[in-house]
Amino acid sequence: MEQTLVILKPSCVERGLIGEVISRIQKKGIIITGMKMMQLDEKILREHYAHLVDKPFFPGLCESMMASPVVCMVLKGADVVSVFRAMTGVTNGRKAAPGTLRGDFCMSGQANIIHASDSPENAEIEIARFFKPEEVFDYTPANVSFIYATDELN
Ligand code: IDP
Ligand code: MG
C-alpha cells in the first residue's frame, strides 16, 4: 500500500490539536505506521522546503516550524497521498474547505497545522528524511478486511 509523510506543525502541537488530527486519520481507516516527536532545525527544513528557500517568507516559515517540537507520522493506505492531501485542504487555512483539517482548525496560510506529502515519489523521499527504516512498522491491523474490499487490498 502507498505511504505518506505527515508533520503536525508547531501550530498543531501548541494549540492542542494533535488528538483531533490523529482521531480523523484513524476514523478514516488510514493506518499509522510511524510516529514520533522531533525538534526540527534549519538544516532539515532547508531540505524539506527546498522549493521555498528563495521565497521572502522562508525565514518566517523556518522560525514557525522550529517554535516547538513537531509530531512526524508515516501513514499507510490505498491512494493515501491524495486521500490525505484532500483531507488536509488547500495551503491557506482561510481558503481551505470546511470539513478539511486546515478548513476546520486553522486561520493561517503559514501556521496551517499540517504538512502532507504531495506525491508518492516525494513521500518516499520525505519518509527517508524524517524516519529511520526501523522506526516504520509495516503491520496490518486486524480490522483491515472491514476497511477495504478484498480486491482493493494489494
Ligand atoms: P503545502 O503545505 O500545502 O504543500 P507548499 O506550497 O508546499 O504548501 O508550502 C509549504 C508550506 O510553506 C505551507 O504549508 C505554509 O506553511 C508555507 N507557505 C506556503 N506559501 C506561503 C506564503 O505565501 N506565505 C507564508 N507561508 C507560506
Ligand atoms: Mg508542499
Side-chain angles (χ1 to χ4, degrees):
M1 269 193 240
E2 197 168 271
Q3 302 187 100
T4 193
L5 180 91
V6 171
I7 303 173
L8 306 186
K9 298 181 177 186
S11 46
C12 181
V13 173
E14 289 280 334
R15 293 180 53 226
L17 295 171
I18 295 171
E20 297 277 0
V21 177
I22 291 176
S23 174
R24 289 218 192 166
I25 289 168
Q26 294 196 301
K27 285 177 189 164
K28 177 70 174 168
I30 293 172
I31 302 161
I32 300 171
T33 56
M35 182 156 60
K36 64 176 176 179
M37 284 192 107
M38 283 177 79
Q39 174 61 52
L40 302 184
D41 60 22
E42 203 174 318
K43 181 176 178 292
I44 201 165
L45 286 165
R46 291 187 83 85
E47 289 175 21
H48 180 63
Y49 285 137
H51 60 300
L52 299 173
V53 285
D54 295 328
K55 301 281 187 193
F57 59 81
F58 185 72
L61 173 60
C62 275
E63 198 178 323
S64 75
M65 291 296 290
M66 297 189 295
S68 81
V70 298
V71 176
C72 298
M73 289 191 280
V74 180
L75 307 184
K76 181 172 86 166
D79 304 322
V80 72
V81 170
S82 60
V83 168
F84 193 70
R85 285 283 288 193
M87 286 171 67
T88 297
V90 298
T91 305
N92 188 327
R94 295 192 298 280
K95 296 184 177 153
T100 64
L101 289 157
R102 286 171 172 166
D104 285 355
F105 296 125
C106 74
M107 285 290 284
S108 172
Q110 181 174 88
N112 56 6
I113 75 168
I114 295 167
H115 165 80
S117 305
D118 61 9
S119 69
E121 297 72 30
N122 283 340
E124 293 308 314
I125 293 166
E126 292 178 354
I127 290 166
R129 178 176 297 135
F130 288 92
F131 283 84
K132 297 178 188 148
E134 64 269 27
E135 292 173 330
V136 181
F137 300 88
D138 190 18
Y139 66 103
T140 301
N143 66 359
V144 74
S145 61
F146 294 91
I147 297 172
Y148 294 103
T150 312
D151 64 359
E152 292 170 316
L153 286 169
N154 50 48

